[in-house]
Amino acid sequence: MIQHAGRFAPSPTGPLHHGSLLAATASYLDARRQGLQWWVRIDDLDSPRVASGAEDSILRTLDAHGLHWDGPVQRQSLHIDRYEAALTELSRQKLLFYCSCSRQTLADAQVYPGTCRHRHRPVADTAIRVRVDEAPIRFHDLIHGDQSEILSRSCGDFVVRRRDGFIAYQLATAVDDGSDAITRVVRGGDLLDNTARQIYLMQHLGLQVPTYAHLPVLVDSHGRKLSKQTSAPALNDRNAAANLLAVFPFLGLNPPAGTREWSPGELLDWGAVEFDLARIPPGSATFRL
Ligand SMILES: [Zn+2]
């Protein structure tokens, strides 16, 4: 049976902060509103970056905020067979080549110059790239409107398996989101410019392209995106209701007086009725801690 779902897909590199709570809450409320399941998928492929205890902390924080997921937690590290099958299919379509360019050689190139396009035989210590073309990738974002991107001009042939052997983010995300289940992807606005690459892969793999919505990027008072790198503080699970109230305005949700007394579950029940992607402004928004 095909189930339809939205998803939240954190990398287990550290605890959640207000920026990740915004994405989790928005995808949760959107799924509730659409009558979809809501899945949590741990994007744990980049194992050198996985922080010990981060996954437990993320799941505990979601739970404390009333963001209860459906079904078992998904893990990308358990999907390697799927990604290998996708590589085999792209290879069958003669879209893959081995790239031995070093980071230094490519340092100045915004667009991959196609240097290794002729390398069709496996070579040790190389990345695998997928060829792109001139055809525009078009999609409608529920917050940013109609989008169109020509990959040969924006990024060129891109990496699908890294030189260190790890499946690249774009391929893993495309394969997992393009599986039958995920029909709505509501995620951080910094990922908007990844979407065309992921759709390109889904199209070549015969996968269903979900509907996308890219949220405002929360920045600190210096204009830096909230992230672990900018040392955004971890969410305090004991302040779950206050944390939800702090991100609600960025989702176009302005709770009435009295909601300060509500539990996280009551806030989410109210939010699920009021939530409307059309009320969310695109672009970035300053978040004051
Ligand atoms: Zn190359």
Side-chain angles (χ1 to χ4, degrees):
M1 188 185 81
I2 297 176
Q3 296 171 313
H4 295 284
R7 95 308 192 263
F8 175 58
S11 304
T13 52
L16 298 182
H17 49 75
H18 284 90
S20 30
L21 181 64
L22 181 83
T25 305
S27 66
Y28 175 87
L29 293 177
D30 179 65
R32 290 268 305 261
R33 189 121 192 121
Q34 300 292 320
L36 305 175
Q37 293 203 345
W38 186 63
W39 289 9
V40 169
R41 185 180 78 217
I42 303 290
D43 283 5
D44 57 353
L45 280 186
D46 195 351
S47 49
R49 290 181 61 232
V50 169
S52 94
E55 180 181 324
D56 285 348
S57 135
I58 288 169
L59 296 177
R60 226 176 15 246
T61 294
L62 291 175
D63 224 24
H65 288 74
L67 297 163
H68 305 302
W69 56 92
D70 294 297
V73 171
Q74 316 281 311
R75 274 184 196 79
Q76 289 201 318
S77 56
L78 299 178
H79 294 171
I80 302 295
D81 290 354
R82 252 188 205 189
Y83 310 139
E84 294 294 341
L87 285 173
T88 304
E89 173 56 22
L90 295 170
S91 166
R92 195 190 61 77
Q93 295 176 39
K94 306 218 180 317
L95 288 169
L96 301 184
F97 63 89
Y98 294 85
C99 170
S100 56
C101 299
S102 70
R103 218 175 267 266
Q104 278 163 319
T105 341
L106 297 175
D108 298 329
Q110 280 280 329
V111 176
Y112 179 72
T115 321
C116 304
R117 272 190 159 190
H118 61 284
R119 292 180 195 267
H120 293 296
R121 295 236 173 80
V123 190
D125 195 31
T126 50
I128 298 179
R129 287 180 187 266
V130 63
R131 292 172 85 97
V132 299
D133 54 38
E134 299 282 328
I137 305 286
R138 295 199 174 92
F139 64 99
H140 180 77
D141 184 280
L142 294 172
I143 296 173
H144 293 258
D146 288 331
Q147 307 287 314
S148 176
E149 185 175 334
I150 296 174
L151 291 173
S152 60
R153 295 186 203 161
S154 59
C155 61
D157 308 331
F158 59 94
V159 173
V160 287
R161 203 192 70 191
R162 290 161 24 178
R163 181 184 286 253
D164 56 16
F166 288 109
I167 299 295
Y169 167 78
Q170 307 296 355
L171 180 71
T173 303
V175 169
D176 284 337
D177 286 343
S179 71
D180 291 337
I182 305 297
T183 47
R184 307 270 288 195
V185 171
V186 178
R187 61 182 177 185
D190 52 319
L191 295 168
L192 180 61
D193 65 0
N194 287 227
T195 308
R197 277 173 279 176
Q198 293 168 12
I199 291 174
Y200 177 79
L201 292 171
M202 290 180 211
Q203 288 173 341
H204 281 281
L205 293 167
L207 297 172
Q208 177 186 304
V209 177
T211 302
Y212 290 95
H214 287 87
L215 300 161
V217 176
L218 295 189
V219 297
D220 64 17
S221 50
H222 304 286
R224 301 174 306 183
K225 181 195 159 209
L226 292 196
S227 69
K228 284 174 291 285
Q229 290 74 31
T230 57
S231 46
L235 293 167
N236 181 341
D237 291 348
R238 283 185 299 238
N239 301 339
N243 294 335
L244 287 170
L245 284 168
V247 299
F248 269 11
F250 299 96
L251 299 174
L253 293 171
N254 295 299
T259 44
R260 301 232 155 254
E261 319 295 321
W262 291 6
S263 69
E266 288 170 323
L267 287 170
L268 292 171
D269 286 346
W270 174 84
V273 175
E274 298 290 318
F275 186 71
D276 181 0
L277 285 168
R279 291 212 303 245
I280 301 179
S284 63
T286 304
F287 185 82
R288 290 185 201 289
L289 293 164

